[in-house]
Amino acid sequence: MNGQNPILKPNPKPVVEEFGQFLVRNGYIDEQALIKGLREQIGSGGRIGETLVRLHFLTAEQLTDALSTYLNIPRVFLTQVKIDPTAVRLIPEELARRHLLLPLRVSNGELELAIADPTNVRALEDVQLKTGYRLKLMLAMEQDILAAIRQHLTVETSLAQLSSLPGRLGEDPGAWGTPGTLVSDIGEHVSQDGPTVRIVDSLLEQAIELGASDVHWEPGEKEFSVRFRLDGQLHLERRLPLSAARTVTARLKVMAGMDVAERRLPQDGRIVLPVKARHIDLRVSSLPTVYGEKLVVRILDSETAHRSLNALGMRSPVEKELRSLLTRHHGLILVTGPTGSGKTTTLYALLRELNAERLNIVSVEDPVEYRLAGVSQVQVHTRIGLTFAAGLRAILRQDPDVIMVGEIRDEETARMAIGAALTGHLVLSTLHTNTAAEAITRLLDMGIEPYFLASAVSAVLAQRLVRKLCEQCKTEYMLDEAEQKALALEAGTLFRPQGCPACRGTGFQGRIGVHELLLYNQEVKELVLAKHSSQALERAAIKTGMVTLLKDGLLKAAAGLTSLDEVLALGINE
């Protein structure tokens, strides 16, 4: 390095001790945390910063900020800088992954290098020997570097290899995979170490790390698009050449156990993908379109099934009422909302509140999205006659205490669920209605008698999902008097999204629930018996303390959890 870089010869021990004191002096941690971190470091080795992150005394974000100040090395946000493809290719992918670094650009005879650990002398020497350039270091988070490596080295290199392969790869994707095509005919392009495998695996891994719920692989007239659904909204992540569509599709179908040759009919499959000592369940669905097969991969993270009621964003009174209803061990609790509003996640959270050791809990679902410990889960198979109603009928012969019905779709299922609730079982289920009050009119429309509903239903929880504001960059603003009065808000201060590297410039991170809980008190039961409208039911519930979806959303906006635009975008009218 010829003395060009002043931090090439750090003394590891003083740096560890001094950096720990630096963290204390600057308020990142306290003395007790440092003492615990140093003790842990003596036993396990490694650097003090990494040890403190592992012990949850620091976040990775805080560690990077602290190192940037301590080492006087500027921090770089890789999602906000333009990376020169020529510079990236100066080093092999293996070296970049081994040392967690990535070239950004060459400027004035220097190679700007993003690196997670600037004190790694071996890494700096390897890069200079490989490139011959003097190095200008920039500090970046490990996860950001890995994501950039996938995007600029793994995917780009694999695409270049894919486009250079001879044979049918350059042909119209509509001409391949005719009936009778075998996986072996696709050959090395979907082999375990082929470029297609690296493209697919890298994009799936990236989607999982970003917390995407779905990945859309969409052939078009001129390109093959890959879109991620993040926090409920689709974002274009990658444009692939159309010539890559057939091998990418084939790779996904092989992984999911689907028929590669069949391109004319929709198919479904499943992938279990190991990622960082976890196994992620993926559901794959194919759909023939005019430009070829579109595939959607649903990412089912098991962590979703382990969320508590509190983690769903319920206000304390709603959470308390639901817990009280669960202690009764009888009655019907309905969760309503449109598709994608988190109804199943709420049902799983309710089941987690119950003592599975003392109760026989059985569910019938379509599909069984997550495996729950202590719950006997039944998968619906309509083709062989195992419908919700048939499954529920069989469950009632299994001495159940608690029954979860994935969805009430027809009169037969509704009657059986209500019958079970009336005979001493706690029944949890979902219904597709916009508000809690509309659930009753929906069941009446199905043909259920009012006296059954008045006796069986304990409560209806309606919900929606809104995006949570990013805590790193949300900004405060004041409502004017007219807006404050129109929205009936006590507080005149709200927050709006701004966008930063932590939220990929969206201003939002994650989602939170908006809820309304309609309890079946005596007044509501009398209205049900008289077949009053959903509006009358809602008015009566509000008089007795129900907070509507819109009001709950506005309260969350006033608390700085979400934005006013997110709440109004739900289109809830009162």
Side-chain angles (χ1 to χ4, degrees):
M1 306 297 267
N2 300 324
Q4 294 290 342
N5 199 306
I7 64 166
L8 285 181
K9 301 292 183 181
N11 186 338
K13 187 171 182 179
V15 165
V16 167
E17 294 174 349
E18 189 177 336
F19 182 56
Q21 291 301 324
F22 171 84
L23 292 173
V24 174
R25 286 197 307 270
N26 287 273
Y28 287 98
I29 58 173
D30 57 26
E31 287 283 358
Q32 289 298 318
L34 178 59
I35 292 170
K36 291 179 181 178
L38 290 171
R39 286 174 181 169
E40 175 70 18
Q41 186 190 24
I42 291 172
S44 60
R47 299 183 185 278
I48 186 62
E50 296 169 351
T51 303
L52 291 169
V53 170
R54 189 169 67 250
L55 294 175
H56 303 292
F57 291 125
L58 273 180
T59 65
E61 182 84 22
Q62 289 171 329
L63 175 60
T64 306
D65 279 338
L67 279 172
S68 176
T69 304
Y70 177 66
L71 297 172
N72 195 26
I73 296 176
R75 183 175 176 185
V76 62
F77 297 96
L78 298 182
T79 57
Q80 294 189 341
V81 299
K82 187 175 182 180
I83 299 175
D84 184 356
T86 306
V88 171
R89 289 193 288 270
L90 289 172
I91 64 170
E93 182 180 349
E94 184 276 329
L95 190 151
R97 287 186 176 274
R98 174 157 41 94
H99 293 312
L100 291 173
L101 49 82
L102 189 76
L104 302 180
R105 66 183 66 83
V106 176
S107 177
N108 299 322
E110 288 184 326
L111 177 64
E112 291 186 12
L113 185 73
I115 187 168
D117 180 11
T119 65
N120 186 342
V121 179
R122 178 64 180 273
L124 303 179
E125 290 175 345
D126 286 352
V127 173
Q128 192 177 46
L129 286 172
K130 188 70 179 177
T131 65
Y133 284 103
R134 289 181 292 111
L135 303 181
K136 180 180 179 182
L137 302 186
M138 316 282 280
L139 195 63
M141 288 185 63
E142 176 181 330
Q143 64 187 47
D144 292 344
I145 291 176
L146 287 172
I149 289 173
R150 280 195 301 269
Q151 180 178 355
H152 296 281
L153 277 174
T154 307
V155 176
E156 291 294 346
T157 303
S158 299
L159 284 172
Q161 293 174 356
L162 200 60
S163 62
S164 66
L165 288 172
R168 296 190 300 156
L169 272 180
E171 297 175 3
D172 175 12
W176 76 285
T178 54
T181 301
L182 302 175
V183 175
S184 58
D185 294 334
I186 304 169
E188 61 185 23
H189 316 317
V190 292
S191 66
Q192 292 305 309
D193 59 351
T196 301
V197 172
R198 292 195 295 272
I199 292 170
V200 172
D201 291 358
S202 294
L203 288 171
L204 288 178
E205 185 179 346
Q206 182 180 356
I208 291 168
E209 287 188 2
L210 290 174
S213 60
D214 302 87
V215 182
H216 292 238
W217 311 77
E218 302 170 324
E221 184 178 2
K222 297 181 179 179
E223 62 186 9
F224 187 53
S225 301
V226 182
R227 296 195 290 170
F228 293 172
R229 188 176 292 280
L230 298 165
D231 299 332
Q233 296 192 351
L234 281 171
H235 299 267
L236 179 64
E237 186 64 31
R238 196 81 186 179
R239 287 188 174 94
L240 304 177
L242 198 55
S243 58
R246 62 188 183 124
T247 52
V248 168
T249 301
R251 167 62 179 169
L252 286 165
K253 292 175 76 172
V254 168
M255 293 172 70
M258 298 159 69
D259 185 355
V260 180
E262 180 55 73
R263 298 181 298 114
R264 300 163 299 174
L265 296 173
Q267 296 185 65
D268 294 300
R270 178 172 177 250
I271 302 170
V272 178
L273 193 68
V275 177
K276 292 185 178 178
R278 291 191 302 159
H279 286 84
I280 307 296
D281 198 10
L282 309 178
R283 302 295 170 87
V284 185
S285 171
S286 72
L287 181 70
T289 72
V290 292
Y291 294 116
E293 283 185 286
K294 171 180 176 175
L295 273 73
V296 175
V297 177
R298 168 66 59 88
I299 301 172
L300 302 175
D301 191 343
S302 59
E303 293 298 317
T304 302
H306 297 107
R307 292 178 182 170
S308 64
L309 289 176
N310 182 260
L312 300 180
M314 290 182 183
R315 292 181 305 105
S316 180
V318 174
E319 187 180 335
K320 184 178 179 180
E321 289 287 1
L322 283 173
R323 286 201 168 96
S324 175
L325 292 172
L326 292 176
T327 62
R328 298 181 188 178
H329 297 307
H330 67 84
L332 174 62
I333 300 175
L334 290 170
V335 181
T336 73
T339 301
S341 59
K343 298 187 297 296
T344 302
T345 302
T346 299
L347 287 184
Y348 285 163
L350 291 171
L351 290 180
R352 279 177 50 80
E353 296 290 325
L354 299 166
N355 189 334
E357 290 186 3
R358 297 183 181 181
L359 299 172
N360 178 19
I361 305 175
V362 190
S363 75
V364 53
E365 306 170 56
D366 183 24
V368 175
E369 293 188 356
Y370 305 101
R371 306 299 195 268
L372 296 176
V375 180
S376 302
Q377 296 172 270
V378 178
Q379 169 69 57
V380 166
H381 290 287
T382 54
R383 291 183 180 178
I384 61 173
L386 182 52
T387 60
F388 277 111
L392 185 51
R393 190 179 296 110
I395 287 171
L396 289 171
R397 296 193 289 269
Q398 292 280 313
D399 184 32
D401 296 299
V402 181
I403 302 170
M404 187 186 98
V405 183
E407 183 184 349
I408 293 178
R409 297 176 178 173
D410 51 47
E411 181 184 352
E412 184 182 9
T413 306
R415 285 191 179 279
M416 296 195 67
I418 289 170
L422 289 171
T423 54
H425 304 89
L426 177 62
V427 181
L428 312 176
S429 190
T430 70
L431 204 61
H432 283 277
T433 62
N434 290 322
T435 66
E438 288 177 9
I440 306 309
T441 54
R442 175 65 57 84
L443 290 170
L444 289 172
D445 290 342
M446 285 183 180
I448 306 300
E449 292 79 4
Y451 55 86
F452 276 143
L453 294 178
S455 302
V457 179
S458 299
V460 183
L461 178 75
Q463 68 178 56
R464 299 287 192 281
L465 293 176
V466 293
R467 292 183 294 171
K468 288 176 64 177
L469 285 168
C470 174
E471 292 295 332
Q472 304 293 327
C473 66
K474 65 182 182 182
T475 57
E476 192 174 0
Y477 71 99
M478 295 292 295
L479 289 172
D480 60 39
E481 289 187 13
E483 291 173 324
Q484 190 174 343
K485 185 177 180 180
L487 296 170
L489 286 173
E490 294 180 5
T493 303
L494 294 180
F495 294 84
R496 60 165 59 99
Q498 181 174 335
C500 69
C503 58
R504 304 182 83 218
T506 64
F508 297 94
Q509 274 191 315
R511 289 192 287 177
I512 192 171
V514 173
H515 307 90
E516 69 178 19
L517 180 64
L518 192 159
L519 296 171
Y520 263 52
N521 54 37
Q522 189 59 39
E523 184 177 355
V524 170
K525 288 182 178 181
E526 290 175 0
L527 291 174
V528 171
L529 288 170
K531 292 188 177 182
H532 277 266
S533 66
S534 59
Q535 291 84 356
L537 290 172
E538 187 168 295
R539 286 194 296 269
I542 292 172
K543 286 181 182 179
T544 56
M546 183 184 82
V547 175
T548 64
L549 284 167
L550 179 59
K551 182 63 176 177
D552 190 47
L554 292 174
L555 288 172
K556 287 181 168 64
L561 297 173
T562 189
S563 70
L564 179 60
D565 288 342
E566 277 290 298
V567 176
L568 298 180
L570 294 174
I572 304 168
N573 297 315
E574 291 187 2

